[in-house]
Amino acid sequence: MMKKNKFLNFAVGPVMMPEEVLDIGSEQIPYFRTEEFSALMKNNEELVLKALNAPEHSRVAFITGSGTASMEAAVMNIFTPSDKVIVVNGGSFGHRFSQLCDIHNISHTDINLKMGAQITKNDLSVFEGQNYTGFLVNIHETSTGVLYDKALISDFCKRNKLKLIVDIVSSFLADTFDMSEMGACAVIAGSQKAIALPPGLSFVALNENGIKTLKCNKALGFVKSLYFDLENALSNGERGQTPFTPAVSVLIQMNKRLNFLNAEGFDKIIERTRNIAEDFRRRIRTFPFKITSQSLSNAVTPLSHENGVSAHSIFEELKDKYNIFICPNGGEYKDVLFRVGHIGALTLKDNDILLEAFTDLKNKGFI
């Protein structure tokens, strides 16, 4: 089915990358403390803010590190031990926000959601007028494939005057997101998802209030980090640079990719991902799988086997026999849930190949 030493990747990150991105990755890395690289970085910031529809005076801090690095940077720069924060904990990434609050001594209460469950008004109503100051959410809980209700969360945070931090790592350029409309003071995303770059780069986009908050927190001595000091990152960003050596080649790849996507239209990129996801979900109905999410992102389809066949064994079989990666889960969901991603350099024809493999497994009695 696939050529030897080649594979097809339906994971949620890293994802399949287009040829123009791969070509840049094979080149020598240039020196970066130059006017040319500074201009490229300023263009990256401009395009990220455009893709997010960020409000006026917003800025972007680029961090060489995975999405978790930017999650931690946002938490420790925006919140202090005097804050009282709500965390949406519906999977491993929501739990990660909870862990970060514990590490940085930030008081928090978790909204614990069952696998696949959407957040509701009832989940939020108990927090109305309770003097909370912040809200943390992975708007697409990647581990379970749930896209949370953006309007519900936004309205609640505005009404209660909460500082809202939104992780959109796996939904950036896969689902519609409007930073201005959402009212988020900080938005987190990374390189290895729908933007289709190598892993190792993430960023925090901050609105004017978010920038004021982190500057105030630093002045008061609450920011205790050299590498994750966002005020320092933004200060260096004014000249198109970063405080420390960045992932130079990934930032060059980002510039190429963002300019390509901007020329095509960010909305069209989201529409194409939606079409691939809907095509897969329509055709998977003939197989003994069930979709486990109450609210799907375009980025991924979470599936479990109707008759209890191990999800991890399906992942292993596709990897070993067909050179196809899907996305497994760990922990309590290891044998319950696997995920099929629709982001990156995938096409409708790639769906054909995956469904062909599922058909073969079905005919063999494996699934």
Side-chain angles (χ1 to χ4, degrees), residues 83-95:
D83 280 295
K84 185 180 173 186
V85 177
I86 300 165
V87 178
V88 180
N89 189 344
S92 59
F93 293 98
H95 177 62

Side-chain angles (χ1 to χ4, degrees), residues 65-83:
S66 69
T68 303
S70 281
M71 288 172 69
E72 180 156 23
V75 167
M76 65 185 295
N77 281 264
I78 298 292
F79 296 130
T80 74
S82 64
D83 280 295

Side-chain angles (χ1 to χ4, degrees), residues 146-202:
V146 179
L147 183 67
Y148 293 127
D149 189 329
K150 295 188 287 288
L152 179 70
I153 291 169
S154 175
D155 289 346
F156 171 80
C157 291
K158 289 174 182 176
R159 191 165 58 249
N160 288 274
K161 296 181 173 56
L162 304 183
K163 292 173 283 190
L164 172 61
I165 296 179
V166 186
D167 164 1
I168 62 167
V169 170
S170 61
S171 64
F172 180 53
L173 299 179
D175 303 298
T176 57
F177 184 84
D178 189 315
M179 184 176 174
S180 294
E181 186 177 286
M182 190 82 184
C185 70
V187 174
I188 301 156
S191 59
Q192 69 188 57
K193 308 292 186 180
I195 197 172
L197 304 174
L201 180 71
S202 59

Side-chain angles (χ1 to χ4, degrees), residues 9 14 58 71 116 161 202 267 270 288 294 312 338:
N9 189 359
S58 294
M71 288 172 69
K161 296 181 173 56
S202 59
D267 289 343
I270 293 170
Q294 295 177 357
H312 197 78
F338 68 87

Side-chain angles (χ1 to χ4, degrees), residues 197-226:
L197 304 174
L201 180 71
S202 59
F203 59 81
V204 184
L206 298 131
N207 71 6
E208 194 169 13
N209 286 334
I211 295 168
K212 288 179 181 177
T213 298
L214 68 88
K215 285 184 175 181
C216 179
N217 288 343
K218 183 177 179 180
L220 292 171
F222 287 115
V223 180
K224 303 290 187 182
S225 177
L226 180 67

Side-chain angles (χ1 to χ4, degrees), residues 31-45:
Y31 182 64
F32 64 97
R33 300 296 192 195
T34 62
E35 291 181 4
E36 291 80 7
F37 189 75
S38 291
L40 179 146
M41 286 293 289
K42 288 181 178 180
N43 187 230
N44 280 346
E45 181 175 26

